[in-house]
Amino acid sequence: MAPSAASEDRKALVRRMLIDVLMGREDPEGFFAICVSALGPQETRSQFLALIQPLSTANSSLHSGLTSIYEQYFSKTEDDELQFALALSLLEVKNDHLSTPSQDSPLQPPRDRPNQRSPAQKSTVSQPQGNSNTKPADGVGRREHTITTQTEARVKASPLQTFRETELQKNNVDKYKMGTPGTSLAGCVSSPSGLLLKQNTIEKDNQMRNEGDFIQPETPKHSKNRRQRRKGAGQKVVGLPCSPSAQPPVLLWFRRDLRLGDNPALIGSLEVGSPVIPVFIWSPEEEEGPGITVAMGGACTYWLHQALSCFSSSLERIGSHLVFLKANGSSLCTLKELVRETGARTVLANALYEPWLKERDDDVESALQKDGVECKMYHSYCLRDPYSVSTEGVGLRGIGSVSHFMNCCRQNPGSALGAPLDRPVSLPTPAYWPQGVSLDVLGLGRMPRRKDGTTIDWAANIRKSWDFSEGGACARLEAFLNDGVYRYEKESGRADAPNTSCLSPYLHFGQLSPRWLLWDAKGARCRPPKFQRKLAWRDLAYWQLTLFPDLPWESLRPPYKALRWSSDRDHLKAWQRGRTGYPLVDAAMRQLWLTGWMNNYMRHVVASFLIAYLYLPWQEGYRWFQDTLVDADVAIDAMMWQNGGMCGLDHWNFVMHPVDAAMTCDPYGSYVRKWCSELAELPDELVHKPWKCPAPMLRRAGLVFGQTYPERIVTDLEERRSRSLQDVALVRKEFGQYVDKRSGCDLVPLPQRLVSEALGLSNRDDGVVTEGQQFLLPVITRMEFKHQLEDPDADAVSNPYNAVLKGYVSRKKDETIAFLNERDFTASVMYEGVQRKERLESDYRIIEGLPGLSAPRGRARRTPTAKDRFSVVPGGAVSSLR
């Protein structure tokens, strides 16, 4: 190509990039650096002001800013000009001997000479992935930057290489504008103006260009998307500081969204086009909210500590880092101090939906906007914003069930979910970092100490059981989609096999987004509806929490507040420590204590035992779960315990039997033997009921009740179940005003938001619904409760709707035996009927003097000549083969 034609192409490139500056996708310093890289210093000096002349009318402030950058850049001494000219002349001589322009990165020395790296380069190269615990040198979250001069950049980069880099940046920006999956604005290659450069992207793209492979699919397969979103974790990034004239930074406020992939607030901060300062503010008083929420229990707080450490390392690998702060009074006060210190004019975060946190965020947003600071909350934590779910067009019948909730979402759809966002490969860094504190100062992972000063490391087993990083979440998801998902539909209740995803803690802390999880689940070869439905349950829980802010401590059904709950603290402690004497319950509670987790089926087992057999209030179970679960979620736990405690919007239509339920989740006793090692020597048929073992077997197993394994804290399970039913019938009869006389369903007072929607007043501010009015709605009620109301003193066994759930294996066995018995009985009756008829016929012939019936000759055979080759004819009547 002629030199003039090449020059015109480069000018056309600059004009196209000028559009990105106007749209806010490129900052002025980056644009000017691209001009210098593409046109060269001389041509930039002569042509730049003419190229930006259209901006004088379209955007005068931007035009003046670019003009100021131009004048500042070219206001150099004669010595500087002489040095530039000498460097460029040396470069022209070397260009004749260059064969491959991208053998070494223009901003990084050759790999075979690591000791010749300059101090500036050593300070700007991020740590490799294996060294994830590296902290900033000053210990308070501050990172020092060393500015690389324009002379060094030009000496190391040939014109051809610089032009390739510029073309690659233009290509990536064009892909981002078109919404191509796998490409984000943060992935664009930047010139030496203060952005970040992904080293291996240039080499890979040049190789693709040489091979002629320029086209990437618009909609790649989901599995490929998963790989693309994960592969950025181990890449090295060179960080270059922003110029002193950079725009005010963006404060990126992290809470429970500790991930790089599919993070709308993170991508939104890049689209602003300013340096980004990631911050985490710890305010335990705000997290807890009103009442007894126990929003951040011990296990949950420890997970947060580990997750923040891993996430900080992830940010360091892309050239940034996380600033930790302890709230000075409140998060709002801390943010205002940060705004004054850094000069930031934008605060971005992903929204939270707990009512008290939503109120906090609304106050923060309002106060910052009054101060002239833009504050924006992105939707990301749930698939559907719970404050946008409406019952219009669906009604309130069946409220509390996931089917009703999904109908509401279908009837009133919100914005489309869209595809997950790819992780950025770099973050623009500010010239000045605010001073933070170390992660340990927050006290999230602090362990208690004994009187002698030794530490009680109660989280040792939790550390061994989990990978707290975003990469650990991706690995769990990948392993589940490759294996466990194929058994999830029918075998998710098994405790003795890894058939569940174990992704709940990653979802809770935002290390994995629900959209990412749904996208990958739909992209897997097996797409179990049951697994996808779990995400709908999660959204339903948050919707209920927005409707009933007191869900974690106040029963929704008024009669059940008067239930005769037990106050036996010994029973509660035995349940918490896994010493009830019932192996399945004990194994689950010990797993919870040691690892901070148990699967959903086992949560039902232990909850049923606490409520239906120990008569302990559901609030005790909720508080213990919130303190010991690593995935402790206020909305999900509160909804589950309310439903299990018979006072939520929905009723569990089952009660897990502590022994029979083992036939479903642990038929061979493997789970019990793992967590209750003292029962390891018992046979399969008795491991779940060791009290039935004969004495010699107990001696051989080394089992002594009350010493090596606890005695049962309750023995007559049927009697206790009957009393529980009787207590429910008693309170429902006492509070008859909350029972629908026609259907027998419980009546629940509705919140004003639901009443307004039901009356069509949701869009009006002057609706007729007032504080003093109470609207009652019939809700789902267990059938055995309705029947028990007719005969309150009846026992549980006589109730035709007895909700005690037998184990699946046991139930299947019983059904098979019953079927065989019924079949054998029917066959025997039919056979006896035929024999009796033959005897009567024989007696009749004898009485009448008729000849007896002739016996059939041979057995029935299939006739090969019949039209139906499977037809059967009586013996002795087989037709000829011809």
Side-chain angles (χ1 to χ4, degrees):
M1 182 181 295
S4 59
S7 177
E8 291 300 324
D9 288 342
R10 291 193 290 271
K11 291 179 182 178
L13 168 66
V14 171
R15 294 190 188 98
R16 286 196 296 270
M17 292 300 298
L18 192 60
I19 299 175
D20 291 333
V21 178
L22 282 170
M23 298 296 293
R25 291 192 290 264
E26 180 63 76
D27 60 279
E29 291 84 0
F31 170 69
F32 180 76
I34 291 173
C35 292
V36 175
S37 299
L39 302 177
Q42 290 79 7
E43 193 170 352
T44 301
R45 181 193 289 270
S46 61
Q47 300 291 335
F48 183 77
L49 293 179
L51 290 172
I52 66 172
Q53 181 59 33
L55 288 178
S56 60
T57 56
N59 193 325
S60 58
S61 61
L62 181 59
H63 179 268
S64 61
L66 287 171
T67 304
S68 175
I69 295 172
Y70 168 84
E71 293 174 352
Q72 181 181 2
Y73 181 80
F74 287 107
S75 61
K76 299 181 182 296
T77 63
E78 293 181 358
D79 293 338
D80 292 335
E81 296 290 347
L82 182 61
Q83 186 179 6
F84 288 156
L86 178 61
L88 290 174
S89 63
L90 291 175
L91 183 61
E92 291 175 358
V93 174
K94 291 182 179 180
N95 281 342
D96 297 335
H97 303 284
L98 294 178
S99 58
T100 55
S102 60
Q103 288 177 354
D104 292 309
S105 172
L107 299 177
Q108 198 172 19
R111 294 187 180 90
D112 57 349
R113 290 175 290 170
N115 295 329
Q116 298 180 13
R117 181 178 293 129
S118 66
Q121 291 167 329
K122 291 180 181 179
S123 66
T124 56
V125 178
S126 65
Q127 295 296 330
Q129 186 174 8
N131 190 11
S132 60
N133 294 324
T134 303
K135 297 292 186 296
D138 57 3
V140 293
R142 185 188 300 272
R143 180 187 295 271
E144 299 294 339
H145 295 277
T146 303
I147 300 178
T148 305
T149 63
Q150 299 289 339
T151 305
E152 293 172 339
R154 289 194 185 90
V155 171
K156 294 177 183 177
S158 67
L160 178 60
Q161 178 66 36
T162 304
F163 180 70
R164 285 183 181 272
E165 295 171 16
T166 309
E167 285 291 320
L168 177 58
Q169 180 171 10
K170 175 185 72 66
N171 190 31
N172 281 339
V173 172
D174 290 341
K175 290 178 184 177
Y176 179 79
K177 288 159 58 179
M178 294 185 294
T180 305
T183 306
S184 64
L185 182 61
C188 300
V189 179
S190 303
S191 59
S193 65
L195 299 181
L196 297 169
L197 177 60
K198 177 181 170 185
Q199 291 295 310
N200 58 355
T201 303
I202 300 174
E203 300 176 5
K204 181 178 179 181
D205 196 82
N206 288 335
Q207 182 181 359
M208 292 173 61
R209 291 175 184 274
N210 294 333
E211 295 174 355
D213 184 11
F214 298 101
I215 302 175
Q216 293 187 2
E218 289 290 331
T219 55
K221 295 182 179 180
H222 304 301
S223 59
K224 186 176 181 180
N225 272 351
R226 292 201 299 271
R227 292 193 297 271
Q228 288 175 347
R229 287 195 291 273
R230 290 162 176 73
K231 68 183 181 182
Q235 295 168 341
K236 295 182 180 180
V237 176
V238 174
L240 297 175
C242 290
S243 66
S245 60
Q247 297 181 5
V250 176
L251 293 180
L252 184 54
W253 185 16
F254 285 97
R255 289 92 71 82
R256 288 205 303 265
D257 45 4
L258 308 179
R259 65 182 183 276
L260 297 179
D262 194 30
N263 194 324
L266 178 58
I267 300 302
S269 67
L270 294 171
E271 292 175 347
V272 175
S274 299
V276 178
I277 302 178
V279 298
F280 175 83
I281 303 172
W282 176 239
S283 177
E285 295 81 9
E286 293 177 353
E287 289 289 334
E288 284 307 310
I292 310 174
T293 59
V294 198
M296 295 296 292
C300 205
T301 305
Y302 183 78
W303 183 289
L304 178 60
H305 175 88
Q306 300 294 331
L308 285 170
S309 176
C310 295
F311 183 61
S312 180
S313 300
S314 298
L315 287 174
E316 289 175 5
R317 285 195 291 270
I318 62 171
S320 183
H321 77 277
L322 188 60
V323 178
F324 300 107
L325 295 167
K326 203 164 188 177
N328 183 14
S330 67
S331 298
L332 176 58
C333 294
T334 307
L335 285 172
K336 286 185 175 181
E337 292 177 2
L338 277 174
V339 168
R340 287 194 295 268
E341 182 181 357
T342 63
R345 309 309 301 165
T346 307
V347 176
L348 303 179
N350 289 317
L352 298 175
Y353 300 121
E354 288 85 351
W356 57 94
L357 295 180
K358 176 72 162 54
E359 183 178 355
R360 186 269 311 268
D361 290 350
D362 290 343
D363 292 341
V364 167
E365 190 171 359
S366 176
L368 289 179
Q369 287 178 352
K370 286 181 180 178
D371 294 342
V373 179
E374 180 185 1
C375 184
K376 184 176 181 181
M377 299 290 171
Y378 291 83
H379 166 66
S380 174
Y381 195 66
C382 297
L383 289 176
R384 180 71 181 266
D385 184 348
Y387 289 92
S388 69
V389 177
S390 172
T391 60
E392 292 185 14
V394 180
L396 299 175
R397 183 177 182 181
I399 190 172
S401 67
V402 71
S403 299
H404 175 271
F405 177 78
M406 294 175 71
N407 288 335
C408 291
C409 294
R410 282 191 290 264
Q411 188 70 20
N412 306 283
S415 58
L417 287 178
L421 303 171
D422 288 329
R423 63 168 61 212
V425 296
S426 62
L427 278 183
T429 56
Y432 168 76
W433 285 93
Q435 183 173 355
V437 299
S438 66
L439 178 58
D440 293 334
V441 172
L442 302 183
L444 298 172
R446 186 178 296 131
M447 293 291 151
R449 291 184 178 274
R450 299 183 180 92
K451 293 181 179 180
D452 59 0
T454 58
T455 301
I456 304 174
D457 188 6
W458 54 263
N461 286 286
I462 295 179
R463 284 196 303 273
K464 296 176 183 177
S465 304
W466 298 94
D467 182 345
F468 303 94
S469 65
E470 182 182 359
C474 297
R476 288 262 185 178
L477 176 59
E478 197 73 21
F480 174 69
L481 294 179
N482 290 334
D483 182 31
V485 69
Y486 300 102
R487 301 183 299 273
Y488 187 87
E489 199 71 21
K490 295 182 178 180
E491 299 293 335
S492 61
R494 291 291 289 267
D496 59 346
N499 297 332
T500 54
S501 65
C502 301
L503 294 172
S504 51
Y506 300 107
L507 278 174
H508 175 66
F509 288 99
Q511 293 158 292
L512 185 67
S513 73
R515 178 171 63 176
W516 190 342
L517 177 57
L518 181 64
W519 184 270
D520 281 5
K522 287 185 175 181
R525 288 183 298 170
C526 178
R527 306 172 185 177
K530 182 178 179 181
F531 180 70
Q532 298 179 31
R533 198 177 177 92
K534 293 294 183 181
L535 293 175
W537 276 107
R538 182 174 182 266
D539 283 12
L540 169 62
Y542 275 92
W543 184 52
Q544 288 192 19
L545 185 61
T546 62
L547 294 172
F548 303 94
D550 54 357
L551 191 70
W553 62 85
E554 188 74 19
S555 298
L556 299 186
R557 307 193 188 204
Y560 297 83
K561 299 177 185 179
L563 276 173
R564 186 174 50 182
W565 295 111
S566 171
S567 59
D568 193 328
R569 306 304 295 180
D570 291 337
H571 282 183
L572 177 62
K573 188 174 182 179
W575 177 82
Q576 291 173 343
R577 301 298 181 184
R579 299 190 61 81
T580 65
Y582 289 89
L584 186 63
V585 177
D586 292 345
M589 297 305 293
R590 294 181 189 184
Q591 181 190 18
L592 172 63
W593 179 255
L594 292 173
T595 69
W597 187 86
M598 67 174 77
N599 73 19
N600 189 58
Y601 189 92
M602 299 311 303
R603 299 185 194 200
H604 285 107
V605 170
V606 299
S608 292
F609 187 79
L610 180 77
I611 295 166
Y613 295 102
L614 297 183
Y615 308 146
L616 290 169
W618 63 268
Q619 289 92 339
E620 295 289 355
Y622 164 80
R623 283 193 284 267
W624 184 252
F625 267 32
Q626 285 296 115
D627 190 45
T628 54
L629 280 172
V630 293
D631 63 348
D633 194 294
V634 171
I636 297 174
D637 280 352
M639 182 186 72
M640 188 200 79
W641 280 101
Q642 285 256 19
N643 291 340
M646 305 167 289
C647 52
L649 287 184
D650 196 2
H651 265 170
W652 288 354
N653 59 354
F654 56 84
V655 173
M656 295 292 192
H657 193 278
V659 179
D660 294 338
M663 292 293 97
T664 296
C665 62
D666 189 30
Y668 307 109
S670 304
Y671 177 74
V672 165
R673 291 188 179 93
K674 178 178 180 180
W675 300 107
C676 299
S677 57
E678 58 268 43
L679 305 176
E681 300 300 324
L682 296 183
D684 294 352
E685 60 273 11
L686 294 175
V687 70
H688 294 291
K689 38 191 174 183
W691 54 89
K692 291 190 175 181
C693 291
M697 184 180 293
L698 293 176
R699 284 195 298 270
R700 287 194 298 270
L703 190 62
V704 179
F705 290 112
Q707 297 181 17
T708 59
Y709 187 72
E711 294 273 5
R712 289 179 292 168
I713 58 176
V714 293
T715 55
D716 194 343
L717 298 179
E718 294 297 336
E719 188 274 332
R720 297 186 73 87
R721 262 286 294 152
S722 297
R723 178 188 156 186
S724 177
L725 275 180
Q726 292 166 5
D727 288 347
V728 171
L730 182 63
V731 297
R732 295 185 77 224
K733 189 174 183 179
E734 181 179 354
F735 295 90
Q737 68 272 27
Y738 290 104
V739 178
D740 184 33
K741 302 298 187 294
R742 183 177 60 85
S743 63
C745 293
D746 292 330
L747 298 174
V748 171
L750 288 182
Q752 297 181 26
R753 175 176 152 195
L754 284 179
V755 176
S756 300
E757 292 178 0
L759 298 178
L761 303 173
S762 56
N763 297 323
R764 293 171 50 186
D765 296 332
D766 56 346
V768 298
V769 181
T770 62
E771 288 288 345
Q773 292 177 297
Q774 187 180 64
F775 292 83
L776 301 178
L777 175 73
V779 292
I780 302 169
T781 305
R782 194 188 295 174
M783 285 296 300
E784 72 171 351
F785 291 170
K786 297 179 183 180
H787 185 271
Q788 193 75 19
L789 191 60
E790 301 174 0
D791 188 6
D793 296 329
D795 58 10
V797 178
S798 62
N799 194 316
Y801 302 102
N802 193 336
V804 176
L805 186 64
K806 297 289 185 179
Y808 175 76
V809 175
S810 175
R811 185 173 70 251
K812 183 177 180 180
K813 179 180 178 182
D814 294 342
E815 291 174 352
T816 302
I817 293 174
F819 170 75
L820 294 175
N821 291 339
E822 182 180 359
R823 186 192 65 179
D824 293 344
F825 176 77
T826 304
S828 63
V829 170
M830 293 175 62
Y831 181 66
E832 290 177 359
V834 171
Q835 286 186 326
R836 182 171 180 274
K837 185 177 180 180
E838 290 179 353
R839 287 196 302 270
L840 291 175
E841 181 69 19
S842 177
D843 294 341
Y844 172 75
R845 286 181 172 273
I846 293 174
I847 293 174
E848 295 294 331
L850 299 175
L853 294 173
S854 57
R857 296 178 300 169
R859 299 179 179 177
R861 299 181 183 177
R862 301 186 186 277
T863 170
T865 57
K867 294 180 179 179
D868 180 7
R869 62 191 183 92
F870 297 109
S871 61
V872 178
V873 296
V878 179
S879 60
S880 172
L881 293 177
R882 294 182 182 179

